[in-house]
Amino acid sequence: MSPPSYSQLYAQLSLQKDATLRVALPWALFSLLTIVIVLRLWARWLSRNLGLDDAFTVITYLLFLAENSLVTYLVQTGLSRLTRNLLDLSIPQIEWIYMFYFVTFDISIFVTGLGKVAVGITILRIFGDASLWQRWAVWAVLILNVVVSFIDFGVITFPCGDPTLTWSLNRPTTVRCISTKVQLDISHATNAVQIVADFAFSIFPIIVVWNLNMTRRRKVLIITALGLTLITGVAAIVKTIYTIYPNATVQRYIWFHIEATLVIVCGSVPTLHPLYERLISRRRRSHNLQDSSKPQSDGENQGAFQSHMNEDLSQISLNRFSAHQRHHDHSSFEATD
């Protein structure tokens, strides 16, 4: 890869007019994620069910924080002042800014990559006793996602071997580097694999839950809770489309943060049912017992239905979903309305 020209570097870094958006939006989304993370860990603590998926979710959250902090630093020190006269800066100053951009790119790879790993592990925990092919299908998507993320990281960070040559403007002409085209192709491949992961982790629960012997209404509710990563997949598609356009830097940046936020939020929804059960459902049931002589309103019926859905989520085990187990344990999946 040939060293970037000053004009190319200026075009990439000159985002002063969008500086406020580039800082305000990520921190607003980070505030939402903080609430979701607290609720998720609280719910898992109540059920004494903390696991590896929670660890990956917290790591993703911390990487999101690190990426936000670096971009804020660039906006406040680099984009807000230095890039107004970028061509007047010394080469070491420009390389310093360029280095931080590559670091943010590296972090962003793992924000979405590890976030999807967390979702996959959550699916495996809920459907932990699936048939062999089902478990291997989820693991295959997980492993492929990890592999392409590390390859993308390596190609972006070490295209010339020495990482300092990646952002150097005085790179020796004898140095051989991976071409920009190859880097873009690998980046697109990584995005494609992550999109496949989003849809796979949504379709898998649909296939399993739809075969259960329960009312269609309850199936739809459970599938909705477990299949929200479809929304993440749509956001990832939009982000990938914007990568085609070189001048859509701000749009890519916005949709990356939307995707990263949805990964954590949608991946955490299935884990929150113990919290709902403790704070809302039990109070409704207690209230209904006290007023058992009164006819239930639609809202109370919905609360009882939500409680049943929560119980289904907490008790689902894929050993019951396999064909031979369904014949023996068919009665355990009867819907109770």
Side-chain angles (χ1 to χ4, degrees), residues 112-124 126-127 134-146 193-209 222-233 263 266-267 270:
T112 53
L114 294 182
K116 296 172 198 299
V117 169
V119 173
I121 296 176
T122 299
I123 296 297
L124 285 173
I126 295 175
F127 305 109
Q134 290 170 327
R135 281 178 288 157
W136 274 112
V138 176
W139 275 112
V141 175
L142 279 175
I143 294 172
L144 181 60
N145 179 70
V146 172
V193 169
Q194 292 185 356
I195 292 170
V196 169
D198 289 326
F199 283 89
F201 296 151
S202 296
I203 294 172
F204 179 74
I206 294 174
I207 295 174
V208 173
V209 174
I222 295 174
I223 288 172
T224 300
L226 296 174
L228 288 175
T229 52
L230 280 173
I231 303 174
T232 309
V263 166
C266 296

Side-chain angles (χ1 to χ4, degrees), residues 34-44 271-272 275 279:
T34 301
I35 297 173
V36 172
I37 289 292
V38 170
L39 293 177
R40 176 186 180 122
L41 296 180
W42 186 8
R44 283 296 174 89
T271 71
L272 300 181
L275 197 58
L279 299 181

Side-chain angles (χ1 to χ4, degrees), residues 46-106:
L46 288 175
S47 60
R48 302 294 190 271
N49 198 27
L50 285 168
L52 190 60
D53 55 336
D54 302 302
F56 274 106
T57 301
V58 171
I59 292 173
T60 302
Y61 169 79
L62 295 176
L63 289 174
F64 191 98
L65 171 62
E67 196 270 346
N68 279 2
S69 300
L70 282 175
V71 171
T72 301
Y73 170 80
L74 282 170
V75 169
Q76 297 300 323
T77 63
L79 296 179
S80 293
R81 295 194 300 272
L82 297 181
T83 55
R84 291 180 181 178
N85 298 293
L86 185 62
L87 300 182
D88 296 331
L89 298 177
S90 66
I91 288 181
Q93 286 176 310
I94 298 175
E95 290 178 342
W96 178 257
I97 299 174
Y98 210 22
M99 178 193 70
F100 274 103
Y101 263 91
F102 274 101
V103 173
T104 60
F105 294 157
D106 289 338

Side-chain angles (χ1 to χ4, degrees), residues 156-175:
I156 289 179
T157 310
F158 309 101
C160 307
D162 184 353
T164 61
L165 295 175
T166 304
W167 49 81
S168 174
L169 299 180
N170 290 320
R171 187 184 307 153
T173 57
T174 57
V175 175

Side-chain angles (χ1 to χ4, degrees), residues 275-292:
L275 197 58
Y276 177 91
E277 182 72 16
R278 181 184 180 93
L279 299 181
I280 300 177
S281 185
R282 287 183 182 178
R283 292 183 180 180
R284 287 184 174 178
R285 288 202 300 267
S286 176
H287 178 73
N288 291 341
L289 288 175
Q290 293 175 2
D291 300 330
S292 57

